[in-house]
């Protein structure tokens, strides 16, 4: 890749980016404060569909169950993704 492209990637990794996605809860872990979600593609981050763990508050972890379809917003910074809002889909 070109140097310009590489710099842009480095920049993207440092800046926190807000994004929205929908997916299915795979598991919740109250101990580590994580919700694992099989999510659809996230255009804002150029992510394909994948299953990954998101950091979440105890209230957020308690608000969803495995198997539930959810709609959520998160902040992505480098390898860390933190949920800012999550709600079951109707
Ligand atoms: Cu992902």
């Amino acid at each position: 890749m070109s140097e310009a492209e590489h710099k842009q990637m480095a920049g993207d990794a440092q800046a926190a980016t807000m994004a929205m996605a929908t997916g299915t809860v795979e598991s919740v872990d109250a101990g580590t404060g994580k919700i694992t979600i099989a999510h659809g593609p996230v255009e804002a981050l150029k992510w394909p569909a994948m299953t990954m763990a998101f950091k979440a508050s105890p209230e957020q972890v308690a608000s969803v169950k495995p198997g539930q379809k959810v709609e959520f917003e998160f902040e992505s910074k480098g390898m860390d993704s933190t949920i800012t809002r999550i709600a079951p889909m109707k």
Side-chain angles (χ1 to χ4, degrees):
M1 79 179 57
S2 74
E3 194 178 337
E5 279 171 331
H6 196 258
K7 270 190 187 142
Q8 194 185 345
M9 275 186 72
D12 286 348
Q14 281 160 17
T17 307
M18 295 294 301
M20 276 187 70
T22 59
T24 303
V25 176
E26 293 278 312
S27 62
V28 294
D29 188 334
T32 57
K34 294 220 168 91
I35 302 175
T36 301
I37 302 173
H39 69 72
V42 184
E43 259 180 56
L45 297 168
K46 300 193 175 70
W47 283 2
M50 67 177 106
T51 299
M52 60 186 279
F54 291 84
K55 288 187 186 169
S57 70
E59 291 76 18
Q60 289 165 339
V61 171
S63 73
V64 296
K65 293 190 184 78
Q68 232 170 18
K69 284 211 168 28
V70 293
E71 192 172 44
F72 60 104
E73 285 176 20
F74 62 100
E75 191 177 80
S76 178
K77 189 174 182 186
M79 296 299 290
D80 277 345
S81 294
T82 305
I83 288 174
T84 54
R85 190 184 67 80
I86 186 165
M89 285 172 77
K90 301 244 165 91

